[in-house]
PDB file of all heavy atoms in Angstrom:
ATOM      1  N   CYS A 168     113.209  94.618  94.460  1.00  0.00           N
ATOM      2  CA  CYS A 168     114.341  93.680  94.421  1.00  0.00           C
ATOM      3  C   CYS A 168     114.516  92.964  95.778  1.00  0.00           C
ATOM      4  O   CYS A 168     113.822  93.322  96.712  1.00  0.00           O
ATOM      5  CB  CYS A 168     115.606  94.423  94.046  1.00  0.00           C
ATOM      6  SG  CYS A 168     116.005  95.711  95.207  1.00  0.00           S
ATOM      7  N   HIS A 169     115.374  92.059  95.894  1.00  0.00           N
ATOM      8  CA  HIS A 169     115.622  91.287  97.097  1.00  0.00           C
ATOM      9  C   HIS A 169     116.040  92.120  98.216  1.00  0.00           C
ATOM     10  O   HIS A 169     115.601  91.978  99.396  1.00  0.00           O
ATOM     11  CB  HIS A 169     116.645  90.181  96.825  1.00  0.00           C
ATOM     12  CG  HIS A 169     116.244  89.066  96.001  1.00  0.00           C
ATOM     13  ND1 HIS A 169     116.058  89.155  94.642  1.00  0.00           N
ATOM     14  CD2 HIS A 169     115.873  87.794  96.308  1.00  0.00           C
ATOM     15  CE1 HIS A 169     115.637  87.960  94.168  1.00  0.00           C
ATOM     16  NE2 HIS A 169     115.515  87.127  95.122  1.00  0.00           N
ATOM     17  N   TYR A 170     116.944  93.069  98.006  1.00  0.00           N
ATOM     18  CA  TYR A 170     117.479  93.971  99.045  1.00  0.00           C
ATOM     19  C   TYR A 170     116.267  94.770  99.664  1.00  0.00           C
ATOM     20  O   TYR A 170     116.144  94.870 100.905  1.00  0.00           O
ATOM     21  CB  TYR A 170     118.506  94.895  98.492  1.00  0.00           C
ATOM     22  CG  TYR A 170     118.789  96.064  99.387  1.00  0.00           C
ATOM     23  CD1 TYR A 170     119.554  95.838 100.595  1.00  0.00           C
ATOM     24  CD2 TYR A 170     118.369  97.280  99.122  1.00  0.00           C
ATOM     25  CE1 TYR A 170     119.860  96.988 101.426  1.00  0.00           C
ATOM     26  CE2 TYR A 170     118.654  98.411  99.943  1.00  0.00           C
ATOM     27  CZ  TYR A 170     119.399  98.196 101.102  1.00  0.00           C
ATOM     28  OH  TYR A 170     119.618  99.243 101.945  1.00  0.00           O
ATOM     29  N   GLU A 171     115.486  95.335  98.823  1.00  0.00           N
ATOM     30  CA  GLU A 171     114.320  96.159  99.340  1.00  0.00           C
ATOM     31  C   GLU A 171     113.299  95.256  99.973  1.00  0.00           C
ATOM     32  O   GLU A 171     112.759  95.682 101.003  1.00  0.00           O
ATOM     33  CB  GLU A 171     113.661  96.876  98.112  1.00  0.00           C
ATOM     34  CG  GLU A 171     114.474  98.002  97.567  1.00  0.00           C
ATOM     35  CD  GLU A 171     113.728  98.732  96.477  1.00  0.00           C
ATOM     36  OE1 GLU A 171     112.664  98.349  96.103  1.00  0.00           O
ATOM     37  OE2 GLU A 171     114.335  99.793  96.006  1.00  0.00           O
ATOM     38  N   LEU A 172     113.112  93.992  99.523  1.00  0.00           N
ATOM     39  CA  LEU A 172     112.183  93.123 100.177  1.00  0.00           C
ATOM     40  C   LEU A 172     112.648  92.763 101.564  1.00  0.00           C
ATOM     41  O   LEU A 172     111.920  92.715 102.538  1.00  0.00           O
ATOM     42  CB  LEU A 172     111.908  91.876  99.322  1.00  0.00           C
ATOM     43  CG  LEU A 172     110.795  90.957  99.903  1.00  0.00           C
ATOM     44  CD1 LEU A 172     109.526  91.709 100.090  1.00  0.00           C
ATOM     45  CD2 LEU A 172     110.612  89.845  98.952  1.00  0.00           C
ATOM     46  N   ALA A 173     113.929  92.421 101.737  1.00  0.00           N
ATOM     47  CA  ALA A 173     114.494  92.084 103.066  1.00  0.00           C
ATOM     48  C   ALA A 173     114.329  93.371 103.935  1.00  0.00           C
ATOM     49  O   ALA A 173     114.045  93.119 105.159  1.00  0.00           O
ATOM     50  CB  ALA A 173     115.936  91.670 102.919  1.00  0.00           C
ATOM     51  N   ARG A 174     114.525  94.445 103.466  1.00  0.00           N
ATOM     52  CA  ARG A 174     114.395  95.668 104.274  1.00  0.00           C
ATOM     53  C   ARG A 174     112.884  95.842 104.671  1.00  0.00           C
ATOM     54  O   ARG A 174     112.645  96.181 105.754  1.00  0.00           O
ATOM     55  CB  ARG A 174     114.856  96.841 103.406  1.00  0.00           C
ATOM     56  CG  ARG A 174     114.946  98.187 104.071  1.00  0.00           C
ATOM     57  CD  ARG A 174     115.523  99.237 103.095  1.00  0.00           C
ATOM     58  NE  ARG A 174     115.883 100.474 103.747  1.00  0.00           N
ATOM     59  CZ  ARG A 174     115.409 101.625 103.439  1.00  0.00           C
ATOM     60  NH1 ARG A 174     114.439 101.723 102.465  1.00  0.00           N
ATOM     61  NH2 ARG A 174     115.778 102.739 104.065  1.00  0.00           N
ATOM     62  N   GLY A 175     112.036  95.684 103.695  1.00  0.00           N
ATOM     63  CA  GLY A 175     110.604  95.937 103.897  1.00  0.00           C
ATOM     64  C   GLY A 175     110.093  94.798 104.884  1.00  0.00           C
ATOM     65  O   GLY A 175     109.275  95.112 105.825  1.00  0.00           O
ATOM     66  N   LEU A 176     110.456  93.533 104.789  1.00  0.00           N
ATOM     67  CA  LEU A 176     110.023  92.499 105.681  1.00  0.00           C
ATOM     68  C   LEU A 176     110.309  92.719 107.071  1.00  0.00           C
ATOM     69  O   LEU A 176     109.627  92.292 108.011  1.00  0.00           O
ATOM     70  CB  LEU A 176     110.508  91.123 105.153  1.00  0.00           C
ATOM     71  CG  LEU A 176     109.896  90.582 103.918  1.00  0.00           C
ATOM     72  CD1 LEU A 176     110.630  89.291 103.472  1.00  0.00           C
ATOM     73  CD2 LEU A 176     108.387  90.374 104.082  1.00  0.00           C
ATOM     74  N   ALA A 177     111.528  93.371 107.282  1.00  0.00           N
ATOM     75  CA  ALA A 177     111.885  93.670 108.738  1.00  0.00           C
ATOM     76  C   ALA A 177     110.908  94.556 109.391  1.00  0.00           C
ATOM     77  O   ALA A 177     110.822  94.595 110.659  1.00  0.00           O
ATOM     78  CB  ALA A 177     113.292  94.306 108.691  1.00  0.00           C
ATOM     79  N   LEU A 178     110.099  95.347 108.653  1.00  0.00           N
ATOM     80  CA  LEU A 178     109.114  96.187 109.261  1.00  0.00           C
ATOM     81  C   LEU A 178     107.761  95.505 109.568  1.00  0.00           C
ATOM     82  O   LEU A 178     106.928  96.069 110.210  1.00  0.00           O
ATOM     83  CB  LEU A 178     108.812  97.430 108.333  1.00  0.00           C
ATOM     84  CG  LEU A 178     110.016  98.263 108.000  1.00  0.00           C
ATOM     85  CD1 LEU A 178     109.691  99.316 107.033  1.00  0.00           C
ATOM     86  CD2 LEU A 178     110.651  98.835 109.248  1.00  0.00           C
ATOM     87  N   ARG A 179     107.581  94.381 109.003  1.00  0.00           N
ATOM     88  CA  ARG A 179     106.287  93.580 109.026  1.00  0.00           C
ATOM     89  C   ARG A 179     105.157  94.425 108.571  1.00  0.00           C
ATOM     90  O   ARG A 179     104.200  94.727 109.326  1.00  0.00           O
ATOM     91  CB  ARG A 179     106.103  93.086 110.485  1.00  0.00           C
ATOM     92  CG  ARG A 179     107.186  92.189 111.033  1.00  0.00           C
ATOM     93  CD  ARG A 179     107.433  91.014 110.135  1.00  0.00           C
ATOM     94  NE  ARG A 179     106.149  90.191 109.911  1.00  0.00           N
ATOM     95  CZ  ARG A 179     106.059  89.263 108.922  1.00  0.00           C
ATOM     96  NH1 ARG A 179     107.035  89.069 108.084  1.00  0.00           N
ATOM     97  NH2 ARG A 179     104.922  88.642 108.777  1.00  0.00           N
ATOM     98  N   PRO A 180     105.143  94.948 107.323  1.00  0.00           N
ATOM     99  CA  PRO A 180     104.076  95.791 106.802  1.00  0.00           C
ATOM    100  C   PRO A 180     102.790  94.913 106.607  1.00  0.00           C
ATOM    101  O   PRO A 180     102.870  93.664 106.776  1.00  0.00           O
ATOM    102  CB  PRO A 180     104.668  96.355 105.606  1.00  0.00           C
ATOM    103  CG  PRO A 180     105.620  95.313 105.128  1.00  0.00           C
ATOM    104  CD  PRO A 180     106.213  94.728 106.353  1.00  0.00           C
ATOM    105  N   SER A 181     101.743  95.566 106.227  1.00  0.00           N
ATOM    106  CA  SER A 181     100.513  94.907 105.975  1.00  0.00           C
ATOM    107  C   SER A 181     100.488  94.179 104.573  1.00  0.00           C
ATOM    108  O   SER A 181      99.871  93.150 104.389  1.00  0.00           O
ATOM    109  CB  SER A 181      99.302  95.834 106.017  1.00  0.00           C
ATOM    110  OG  SER A 181      99.328  96.488 107.325  1.00  0.00           O
ATOM    111  N   TYR A 182     101.136  94.786 103.623  1.00  0.00           N
ATOM    112  CA  TYR A 182     101.302  94.148 102.303  1.00  0.00           C
ATOM    113  C   TYR A 182     102.569  94.760 101.644  1.00  0.00           C
ATOM    114  O   TYR A 182     103.084  95.818 102.067  1.00  0.00           O
ATOM    115  CB  TYR A 182     100.057  94.353 101.457  1.00  0.00           C
ATOM    116  CG  TYR A 182      99.926  95.748 100.757  1.00  0.00           C
ATOM    117  CD1 TYR A 182     100.664  96.111  99.634  1.00  0.00           C
ATOM    118  CD2 TYR A 182      99.076  96.698 101.298  1.00  0.00           C
ATOM    119  CE1 TYR A 182     100.484  97.384  99.055  1.00  0.00           C
ATOM    120  CE2 TYR A 182      98.925  97.960 100.771  1.00  0.00           C
ATOM    121  CZ  TYR A 182      99.647  98.296  99.648  1.00  0.00           C
ATOM    122  OH  TYR A 182      99.546  99.548  99.110  1.00  0.00           O
ATOM    123  N   ILE A 183     103.058  94.100 100.580  1.00  0.00           N
ATOM    124  CA  ILE A 183     104.208  94.585  99.790  1.00  0.00           C
ATOM    125  C   ILE A 183     103.801  94.615  98.386  1.00  0.00           C
ATOM    126  O   ILE A 183     103.303  93.597  97.860  1.00  0.00           O
ATOM    127  CB  ILE A 183     105.448  93.707  99.980  1.00  0.00           C
ATOM    128  CG1 ILE A 183     106.016  93.990 101.431  1.00  0.00           C
ATOM    129  CG2 ILE A 183     106.541  94.093  99.016  1.00  0.00           C
ATOM    130  CD1 ILE A 183     107.285  93.199 101.743  1.00  0.00           C
ATOM    131  N   ALA A 184     103.993  95.754  97.725  1.00  0.00           N
ATOM    132  CA  ALA A 184     103.733  95.848  96.291  1.00  0.00           C
ATOM    133  C   ALA A 184     105.006  95.410  95.506  1.00  0.00           C
ATOM    134  O   ALA A 184     106.054  96.030  95.728  1.00  0.00           O
ATOM    135  CB  ALA A 184     103.322  97.255  95.860  1.00  0.00           C
ATOM    136  N   VAL A 185     104.915  94.501  94.650  1.00  0.00           N
ATOM    137  CA  VAL A 185     106.033  93.953  93.906  1.00  0.00           C
ATOM    138  C   VAL A 185     105.962  94.448  92.448  1.00  0.00           C
ATOM    139  O   VAL A 185     104.911  94.222  91.733  1.00  0.00           O
ATOM    140  CB  VAL A 185     105.991  92.466  93.915  1.00  0.00           C
ATOM    141  CG1 VAL A 185     107.168  91.843  93.071  1.00  0.00           C
ATOM    142  CG2 VAL A 185     106.003  91.912  95.302  1.00  0.00           C
ATOM    143  N   GLY A 186     106.972  95.062  91.972  1.00  0.00           N
ATOM    144  CA  GLY A 186     107.026  95.613  90.580  1.00  0.00           C
ATOM    145  C   GLY A 186     108.478  96.002  90.160  1.00  0.00           C
ATOM    146  O   GLY A 186     109.360  95.851  90.962  1.00  0.00           O
ATOM    147  N   PRO A 187     108.605  96.365  88.915  1.00  0.00           N
ATOM    148  CA  PRO A 187     107.497  96.412  87.865  1.00  0.00           C
ATOM    149  C   PRO A 187     107.231  94.982  87.358  1.00  0.00           C
ATOM    150  O   PRO A 187     108.120  94.235  87.035  1.00  0.00           O
ATOM    151  CB  PRO A 187     108.091  97.326  86.835  1.00  0.00           C
ATOM    152  CG  PRO A 187     109.593  97.138  86.907  1.00  0.00           C
ATOM    153  CD  PRO A 187     109.884  96.926  88.400  1.00  0.00           C
ATOM    154  N   THR A 188     105.981  94.708  87.128  1.00  0.00           N
ATOM    155  CA  THR A 188     105.562  93.470  86.529  1.00  0.00           C
ATOM    156  C   THR A 188     105.936  93.544  85.023  1.00  0.00           C
ATOM    157  O   THR A 188     106.512  92.612  84.496  1.00  0.00           O
ATOM    158  CB  THR A 188     104.025  93.197  86.739  1.00  0.00           C
ATOM    159  OG1 THR A 188     103.760  93.185  88.093  1.00  0.00           O
ATOM    160  CG2 THR A 188     103.663  91.867  86.175  1.00  0.00           C
TER     161      THR A 188
END
Side-chain angles (χ1 to χ4, degrees):
C168 61
H169 286 76
Y170 165 75
E171 290 185 353
L172 185 54
R174 188 176 192 240
L176 286 176
L178 301 175
R179 301 304 304 164
S181 306
Y182 76 81
I183 288 182
V185 180
T188 305

